[in-house]
Structures are given as structure tokens and as C-alpha cells.
Amino acid sequence: MSLSRRSFVQTLGVGATGLWITSRGREGSLFAQGLQPVQGPPPSIILSSNENPLGTHKDVLAAIRGAAFPEAGRYPFATADEVSELLARKHGVKPENVLLGSGSTQILRTSTHVFTSKTAGLVAAIPAYEECADYARLMGHPITGVKLNPTDLKMDLDALQQASKGAGLVFYCNPNNPVATAITGSDTRAYLTTLMNQSPSTTVLVDEAYFEYGTMPGYESMIPLAVENPRVVVARTFSKCFGMAGIRMGYAIGHRDTIAQMAAWDGIGNISIMALQGAKAALVVPDAWVKDEQKRNEAARSFTQKWFADRGYAPTDSQSNFMFINVKRPAREFRDACLKEGVLVGRDFPPYEKTHVRISVGTMDEMQKAVQVFERALAQPAKAAA
């Protein structure tokens, strides 16, 4: 018998439900719990949450103000259908291939619930974005972590292949948060083909939250494959390139049967009319605006990575709007030094918390100011580097 999201929450009880609801928002909750300076004003440059520092397009804000508020008294089902139609048109698929979510977070949770079990667990790289693992752990489903390739911090596809056999779900974050590296389309398809032959009951969730920021040759979306293959699902979001992190709008694209299975567990009832109207507007913003955002990010990213590399602190090959830097000291130590001067960088990411820090890409002006703070932080002798 299928289990609805509502009945699942009722089964969990109040305490577990609270844990589930608050597991996302990790950046914000940790900020509130002590990542900000004990003394002094809040950080003036926030480089910790992989947001678009310029925010969203003016037409998106106008749509929320002008179209969403008057409809706030109505349930959003009709508007959700419109957004699904627009997304289908954008990606060359049918509306039956699209499932909307309150941010891609909802898509990740739904996938974990639907495709994992106590006997067929979750497999993911270590580290990778933790949402699926947090949710699988909450349900008591097994989790298998696969170490990254130590030379370039990319997913080790051979090791992932072995670990994925018999899994319920593989979380394939590409580009991978927090390490910023990506796998080419050809290598991804080869991994998926082999896995489908060896473990035909395993589903792979390809998280493409940072797709718009990928610049390396050969990087591709798996959407065309997902539409044809019921064991592949792609998650996307409006939170990153489109600057809608606070509005909460994401979606999945996959085979119609897979999308129907996910929709049966968790529909669109928790997506706000504000997010839907914002998404409608975002889907028709000029291509030039998106290209300008991509260029802005690439320029600021390249500037900052070169700054670190020139000083002997190796960055990974970033294909996103953040970077992962070997600062040769614990992330907390570097973070605390930066916080004293008003710059907030990323939290710890085990098992690299003793050497690496994640730094989101701000504006060029912010990065030029931030590297001056980084210079002073790195000039201090490392206390506990390992």
C-alpha cells in the first residue's frame, strides 16, 4: 500500500517531524548557532550559502508583487499547471515528465522516501550535499558513502559503481556540492549504463542545482536520458543562477512513470503562489540576463581561484558558484579569522574539514575585498593543520 506524505508525518510523530522539517536550512541554522562573530556586527560579505549575490530578475519580483499577492487566497494548483507547462516547453519534454517542488529540497526528500528502504539504501559520494542522507538516516534506511578521487576530488565512478549495486537510490550530485567538481556527460552515461545492467532496480537522482554555472567541455545535463529511462531522475532549482533561494522553487524531470510515482508520495500542495508566479516570470527572462549572470560568476570565480593558486593554496576545478580550497589549516580556524573581519565562508565538510574550506562566489567587488581578508587570515600560523 502506498504511503502518503501526510500519513508518513503522522506516523513519525511530532518530535521526528520537527527534525525532518528543520534538517534543511543547514546554512542558516548553523549561522544562527554561532557561525557569526561573538562580538561586532554581522558579516558584511556572506560567502557561505552558494546564493546569487545579485538576487533575481526584476520581472520575477514584479510578478510576485503584482500577480502572486492578489492570488494569495487561492490554492495554487492552476498556476502550478502553467509552470509545469512552461518547464516542459523549456526542456523539450511533456508536462507528465515534470514534478514541481518547494526548492529542489523537496525533490531530494521525495526521491529518498520513494526509492530507498530498509533493505535498499542510499549511496552517495563523501562529501556531497547531505539532504538525501539526512532524510534516509531519519527513516532508518542504510547509507553508504563513497570517497572521492583523492587527486582531483571528483566522484570516483569505479568505486561508486561497486557501491551502487543493490542500492535503492544513488545521489549523484553533479556539479558536486561542496567540492565544486563535475563529471562529463560521457562518463556519467557510461556509469549509468553499467549500473542499470548490473543493478536494474536502482534509481539514480542526478542533482543539477548548479548546472547553469558549469563551463568545462563535455559537461551535459542528463535530462534527455531521464525522460527515457525510468531509473534516472534529474533535480533542478531556481535557487542558484536565477537568484530565488529565498522563494523556494525547484523541480524534477524524469520518465512519466517515475514522476507519477514521486507525485503520489508528495504533490505540490506546499508550493506557494509566490514561488510559482516567480518561476513563471523566471522562465521567460531574457537569455542575455542568464548569460550575463554566468559571465559574472565565471569572472569572479576565476579571479578568486587564481588568487589562491598564486599563493600556493590549491582550488578544485570549480564548475559552480562556489569553490573548494585547500587552505592548509582547519576550516573553522580560517572561518573564525575571516569572521572577525566581516567575511563569512562555508561550514565544515567532513572529511575535509581539517584542510579545506568552501567559499561561495560573490560579486567581483565582494571577492576583491574578501581576498584582502583571506590574505590576513592565511598569514596567521596554522594552529592545528592536519
Side-chain angles (χ1 to χ4, degrees):
M1 181 178 67
S2 64
L3 180 64
S4 72
R5 177 176 173 271
R6 178 175 296 178
S7 61
F8 174 70
V9 171
Q10 291 171 341
T11 301
L12 281 176
V14 175
T17 304
L19 174 62
W20 170 47
I21 292 172
T22 58
S23 65
R24 182 63 172 101
R26 180 184 298 268
E27 311 293 348
S29 64
L30 290 181
F31 182 88
Q33 292 171 17
L35 287 185
Q36 62 192 87
V38 175
Q39 297 179 340
S44 57
I45 299 177
I46 299 177
L47 308 176
S48 58
S49 298
N50 304 341
E51 299 147 336
N52 183 332
L54 299 181
T56 193
H57 192 274
K58 61 182 179 61
D59 290 350
V60 174
L61 298 178
I64 293 172
R65 295 190 189 102
F69 289 158
E71 294 295 321
R74 303 288 183 183
Y75 286 112
F77 302 113
T79 307
D81 288 343
E82 292 181 62
V83 173
S84 295
E85 290 273 1
L86 286 170
L87 281 168
R89 199 177 309 155
K90 173 184 174 67
H91 292 291
V93 301
K94 297 179 180 179
E96 64 190 15
N97 300 120
V98 178
L99 177 64
L100 305 181
S102 179
S104 58
T105 297
Q106 184 178 359
I107 301 302
L108 271 57
R109 287 177 179 167
T110 297
S111 299
T112 306
H113 180 88
V114 171
F115 300 117
T116 68
S117 68
K118 293 186 183 298
T119 57
L122 174 75
V123 173
I126 298 178
Y129 184 57
E130 303 98 330
E131 189 64 44
C132 291
D134 285 349
Y135 195 43
R137 187 175 297 110
L138 173 64
M139 294 188 292
H141 295 176
I143 304 164
T144 301
V146 179
K147 293 181 180 180
L148 301 174
N149 187 318
T151 59
D152 56 12
L153 298 193
K154 292 187 177 183
M155 287 185 284
D156 185 334
L157 297 188
D158 290 337
L160 193 66
Q161 185 74 64
Q162 293 301 313
S164 301
K165 296 176 183 177
L169 180 69
V170 177
F171 179 59
Y172 192 92
C173 193
N174 194 34
N176 189 12
N177 179 12
V179 295
T181 57
I183 304 295
T184 64
S186 59
D187 286 345
T188 297
R189 284 192 298 272
Y191 160 76
L192 292 171
T193 298
T194 303
L195 177 62
M196 297 302 148
N197 289 333
Q198 294 182 345
S199 187
S201 63
T202 300
T203 298
V204 179
L205 173 61
V206 183
D207 187 343
E208 295 181 351
Y210 302 95
F211 176 79
E212 289 84 0
Y213 292 123
T215 55
M216 75 178 193
Y219 176 61
E220 303 174 38
S221 173
M222 290 297 109
I223 285 177
L225 179 61
V227 172
E228 300 297 327
N229 190 327
R231 287 302 179 189
V232 179
V233 182
V234 171
R236 289 285 189 94
T237 184
F238 287 88
S239 294
K240 307 305 177 183
C241 178
F242 289 95
M244 294 171 59
I247 301 173
R248 312 308 304 136
M249 189 70 219
Y251 58 99
I253 295 185
H255 188 277
R256 64 179 185 180
D257 294 342
T258 307
I259 293 299
Q261 187 178 3
M262 293 170 66
W265 151 248
D266 196 4
I268 60 172
N270 63 346
I271 305 173
S272 74
I273 190 67
M274 278 68 78
L276 290 166
Q277 291 290 357
K280 279 179 60 179
L283 285 167
V284 294
V285 300
D287 290 342
W289 184 87
V290 176
K291 291 179 180 178
D292 285 346
E293 165 57 18
Q294 292 168 327
K295 291 177 182 177
R296 180 210 62 77
N297 180 78
E298 185 176 4
R301 180 180 71 189
S302 296
F303 162 78
T304 311
Q305 288 189 294
K306 183 177 186 303
W307 186 93
F308 276 106
D310 287 347
R311 288 156 180 79
Y313 299 98
T316 60
D317 178 25
S318 174
Q319 301 298 318
S320 55
N321 65 341
F322 58 91
M323 59 199 75
F324 204 56
I325 312 289
N326 185 348
V327 292
K328 303 178 183 179
R329 66 194 67 211
R332 176 177 291 276
E333 185 178 311
F334 179 79
R335 182 171 59 246
D336 288 348
C338 293
L339 276 171
K340 291 179 181 178
E341 298 197 50
V343 176
L344 176 63
V345 299
R347 55 186 167 85
D348 288 357
F349 290 96
Y352 295 99
E353 75 277 16
K354 294 183 179 180
T355 53
H356 286 69
V357 66
R358 191 190 72 182
I359 300 174
S360 303
V361 179
T363 65
M364 181 63 83
D365 181 65
E366 286 177 328
M367 303 317 291
Q368 289 172 340
K369 292 176 180 176
V371 296
Q372 298 176 41
V373 174
F374 300 159
E375 183 86 67
R376 292 188 286 273
L378 293 170
Q380 301 175 19
K383 299 175 183 178

